[in-house]
Amino acid sequence: MAAALIVTARTLHVGLVLDNNLPTGGDLAAHPWWPDFLRQQLLVRGRLSGWSPDWYAGFPAGVFYFPVPALFVVAVDAVAPYPVAFKVVVVAGPLLLPVAAHRLAGALCLARPAPVLVGLGAVAFLHVTGDNRILGGNLASLAVGEYAYSIALTLGLFSLAALVKAVDGRSRGAAAAVLLAATVCSHVVVGLVIALCALGMLAVRRSTVAVEVVGRVGAAGALVGSIWVLPALARQGESTDVGWVRRTDHLQALVGAPPTAIGAAITFAAAVVVIARRRMRLGAPVRARVQSRVQSRVQSRPHDGILILGMWTVVAAAVFVLMPGTTIWNARVLPVFRLLVWLAAAGSIGSLIARLASRSPEARGCSTAGRPSARAVRALGHMAMAGAIVTTLALGWYRSDETARAFAHDFGGTEALGPAGAEHDALVAAIDALGPTRILWEHGTFLRRYGSRFGLDALPLLTDGRIATAEGLFAESALSAPAVYRTIAQVSAEPFRRIRGLDYGSIAEFEAGVEAMRDLGIRHYLAYNELAREAADASSGLRLVADTGLGWQIYEIVGWGLVDDPAVTISRGRDWIRLSGTTPGRTISVRESWSSSWSADGAAGAHPRPDPSNLMTITPAGTEVTLRYGRTWADDLGVALFVLGVVAVGRLARAPRPCASRVDPEDAPRYTEG
């Protein structure tokens, strides 16, 4: 296991993690914004979500994106510089995944060497790319920014291990409840599958004790997770559907790749053998079954573990096939399924080796004449395990070169980009000199010279909130995101079309793009390509304010403003906007995204504008209106349920352990015979 972790650490370039610089590659270049916003703006007010004007035309930060990974970053930030803290949390998920897999195998009482092989199965999963470069879970997906998914997978395995131990009476269930809630609040797709896996375990561990324990743990975990889940569900109508295309090639997606197909076949075969042996035991004479009751329970434990792992793969496959709609992409379930297949196959092979050793004549006290001895069988098992270790290490060493280069790029910082890195820093300084503003820049592949085409999304973080950007991550969280990306397409020679199904247009509609930028409250536009600069120079709606000397020209939108009435005076904070000089009864368009959490003092509420921009309109009752972003009933109820959840977890921690549905694991032999 240690050697396998070293290979994973090599791929991740953990030596660069301790360098005090922010990531520069993929979505990781912009992801540090959210934990920083959480620690600077929200936690100090006792909140996990709140309004941010930093991206799009403002959006409810933390309502639809996951809080737990960001909270981990904030915790590590207490003892390390912020860039280091962020990168430590990024690599923690994959580094701890084999440990979590090993712990799960131990909780399932899989006989040695199965736990080691299960851990190696997790390592192999991390290094196999296949068609998974953005779905999450493996190292290739992590390199482009899926760190929350990796953390959720690791927490999910730990939570299942804790739940199995609670069902068996080896723990009280408090840890399982907290870990389950943390999994859901780290990534909702992983959390959904893990929660259903917990229920699926009851198909194997069919006892009153198991149902009671799973029910209590699930209820406590649901209450704890309500602090984030309930507001997110209550406001689902305020999210943006980015148009994920649901995968319908189910068989190809599930078992089309050879490693997954082989693993699924091994798991299926092992499950069939275990079920057949169970049926044979059930057919034994009643007296014999009564006399060997304790022994049968001991011997059934590792086989139950194989069945449980097999059941979990079936659950994950079913979620992938049955998940409807486009809001959540069903392909996101595939990494969970593939990981479980790797673990189940590795556990099956390890259990087979253990069973061969336990059935050797020497181990059973029989004559070994003409038969393989226990030593020979164990030697065969050790050789098989050594082969698995060598294969896994070779896979990680030789198949991860591309991924290793990606992490070297991600964690190297702008200084590793050479002249392009210096240009990036100079551009950030030039933009910061504009003062507080909202900007939109031309999109194109040329942005990759700065490490990622999303690198400038980090401008709010790099400028301490002085610069807001029209584009950002978390497009699902912003109702104004479709209008923003449509506008980007109209003012960019090589636009990035993040949301599927939109009528984007092209740079031939540049003047419409200028009007759209004004309507979104954007003050400055940055052009790079010659085509975009020529169009900007010819536009009467733009005024050149700076030539950076870096290829970028900065323009100011003529007539920009946060409202469509130039007579209104505006002052604002992070989550409030004050309008002075308004005309009673005259409707004003406020160029900020609408949300149900906005309230209007001095007007009859804030309403969404009846067009695709989803901006706000108000009708003042007097000469001053104050808009405030506040809490909703779902926020308050979520906090109340969270408090109840904490109480429930405390009661679980103090409650006596449930009567085990199996015997104590200390009584189980090292090598078992079913």
Side-chain angles (χ1 to χ4, degrees):
M1 285 295 294
L5 292 176
I6 290 173
V7 170
T8 304
R10 166 193 173 270
T11 304
L12 291 169
H13 283 278
V14 293
L16 296 176
V17 169
L18 300 181
D19 291 346
N20 192 16
N21 52 38
L22 291 168
T24 55
D27 286 359
L28 281 180
H31 268 297
W33 172 85
W34 163 228
D36 180 72
F37 184 81
L38 179 66
R39 66 170 181 160
Q40 300 275 17
Q41 303 294 331
L42 299 179
L43 291 180
V44 292
R45 292 182 288 166
R47 301 196 59 173
L48 289 178
S49 66
W51 190 256
S52 171
D54 288 346
W55 285 341
Y56 304 104
F59 76 108
V63 172
F64 301 110
Y65 198 71
F66 320 112
V68 166
L71 290 172
F72 286 157
V73 175
V74 173
V76 180
D77 178 56
V79 296
Y82 181 76
V84 175
F86 179 80
K87 291 187 287 186
V88 165
V89 173
V90 167
V91 302
L95 287 178
L96 291 176
L97 185 67
V99 178
H102 187 278
R103 178 65 63 87
L104 178 60
L108 290 169
C109 291
L110 299 184
R112 290 187 296 177
V116 174
L117 293 182
V118 169
L120 292 174
V123 174
F125 164 80
L126 288 171
H127 289 86
V128 171
T129 300
D131 62 349
N132 181 9
R133 294 184 179 274
I134 62 170
L135 300 180
N138 62 3
L139 296 182
S141 295
L142 180 66
V144 300
E146 291 295 335
Y147 79 105
Y149 198 109
S150 294
I151 291 172
L153 271 185
T154 300
L155 290 174
L157 295 189
F158 277 125
S159 69
L160 289 176
L163 180 61
V164 170
K165 293 179 69 173
V167 168
D168 285 347
R170 290 175 281 154
S171 70
R172 294 180 173 85
V178 172
L179 288 167
L180 181 61
T183 302
V184 175
C185 294
S186 293
H187 201 286
V188 67
V189 173
V190 179
L192 172 64
V193 178
I194 295 299
L196 293 176
C197 284
L199 294 175
M201 183 176 63
L202 297 177
V204 179
R205 296 283 173 89
R206 289 173 289 185
S207 69
T208 303
V209 171
V211 172
E212 180 181 348
V213 171
V214 171
R216 289 180 178 178
V217 169
L223 289 172
V224 172
S226 293
I227 193 170
W228 176 76
V229 173
L230 182 62
L233 290 177
R235 297 174 60 178
Q236 191 62 37
E238 298 178 32
S239 63
T240 292
D241 186 346
V242 298
W244 293 113
V245 179
R246 185 174 180 271
R247 289 195 65 169
T248 56
D249 56 335
H250 300 143
L251 190 61
Q252 173 65 28
L254 290 172
V255 294
T260 309
I262 295 171
I266 293 173
T267 303
F268 177 76
V272 168
V273 170
V274 171
I275 292 173
R277 291 179 60 79
R278 275 191 162 194
R279 290 184 177 275
M280 291 174 61
R281 282 202 301 270
L282 290 175
V286 174
R287 180 179 300 177
R289 279 186 281 149
V290 171
Q291 290 176 347
S292 61
R293 180 182 55 185
V294 174
Q295 181 180 0
S296 297
R297 286 181 175 179
V298 173
Q299 294 171 349
S300 69
R301 294 182 65 84
H303 304 303
D304 278 359
I306 297 301
L307 281 182
I308 289 172
L309 286 171
M311 177 59 67
W312 288 342
T313 63
V314 172
V315 169
V319 174
F320 166 72
V321 172
L322 299 176
M323 182 176 286
T326 59
T327 303
I328 299 178
W329 192 17
N330 69 331
R332 291 288 231 160
V333 180
L334 288 174
V336 188
F337 167 78
R338 291 168 181 172
L339 171 62
L340 291 173
V341 167
W342 277 99
L343 303 188
S348 299
I349 295 172
S351 296
L352 175 62
I353 295 173
R355 184 167 178 271
L356 288 174
S358 68
R359 290 182 63 84
S360 67
E362 188 178 79
R364 299 171 66 180
C366 302
S367 172
T368 61
R371 301 179 183 181
S373 66
R375 181 175 301 176
V377 174
R378 286 197 177 96
L380 179 63
H382 292 321
M383 289 174 61
M385 189 165 65
I389 294 172
V390 171
T391 301
T392 303
L393 296 181
L395 178 71
W397 193 270
Y398 295 109
R399 291 288 300 277
S400 61
D401 283 346
E402 181 181 353
T403 306
R405 288 193 297 270
F407 280 108
H409 170 79
D410 287 353
F411 293 157
T414 55
E415 57 268 28
L417 299 175
E423 179 183 319
H424 170 274
D425 295 342
L427 178 61
V428 170
I431 294 172
D432 195 17
L434 297 172
T437 183
R438 179 180 291 167
I439 70 169
L440 184 148
W441 56 85
E442 180 195 1
H443 264 247
T445 55
F446 53 85
L447 290 170
R448 291 174 179 164
R449 65 193 297 172
Y450 303 139
S452 166
R453 66 186 303 162
F454 309 114
L456 293 180
D457 292 358
L459 277 167
L461 170 63
L462 299 176
T463 61
D464 294 326
R466 290 183 293 275
I467 304 299
T469 65
E471 196 221 12
L473 301 180
F474 316 150
E476 295 90 340
S477 301
L479 285 174
S480 57
V484 166
Y485 284 105
R486 189 181 295 112
T487 303
I488 289 173
Q490 293 172 328
V491 297
S492 301
E494 304 173 44
F496 175 61
R497 297 178 171 88
R498 183 186 289 270
I499 300 175
R500 295 162 179 80
L502 287 183
D503 181 14
Y504 280 99
S506 68
I507 199 170
E509 305 168 24
F510 191 86
E511 287 301 323
V514 173
E515 180 59 34
M517 286 192 289
R518 183 183 298 111
D519 194 39
L520 288 167
I522 295 166
R523 181 176 181 180
H524 291 102
Y525 164 67
L526 279 69
Y528 186 87
N529 271 322
E530 183 177 356
L531 182 61
R533 294 200 305 266
E534 289 177 353
D537 290 335
S539 174
S540 60
L542 297 176
R543 179 175 64 88
L544 180 65
V545 295
D547 187 336
T548 63
L550 304 169
W552 292 92
Q553 290 182 339
I554 303 177
Y555 299 84
E556 185 178 56
I557 287 86
V558 176
W560 73 275
L562 192 59
V563 297
D564 61 352
D565 186 349
V568 174
T569 303
I570 305 163
S571 58
R572 76 164 303 163
R574 284 281 182 178
D575 54 2
W576 59 268
I577 302 171
R578 182 170 293 114
L579 310 177
S580 302
T582 56
T583 302
R586 178 181 177 181
T587 300
I588 297 175
S589 177
V590 181
R591 291 158 176 169
E592 193 88 356
S593 292
W594 173 84
S595 167
S596 62
S597 292
W598 283 110
S599 63
D601 297 333
H607 305 283
R609 213 167 73 180
D611 60 40
S613 67
N614 289 299
L615 302 178
M616 277 191 291
T617 62
I618 59 171
T619 303
T623 59
E624 184 172 288
V625 177
T626 300
L627 295 166
R628 299 185 187 278
Y629 182 89
R631 302 179 64 87
T632 66
W633 66 268
D635 295 316
D636 294 333
L637 181 57
V639 171
L641 293 178
F642 171 78
V643 173
L644 290 177
V646 172
V647 173
V649 169
R651 294 191 63 179
L652 282 175
R654 294 191 303 271
R657 294 184 182 183
C659 296
S661 57
R662 300 288 187 269
V663 299
D664 192 295
E666 294 297 329
D667 297 331
R670 179 175 300 176
Y671 295 102
T672 61
E673 175 188 355

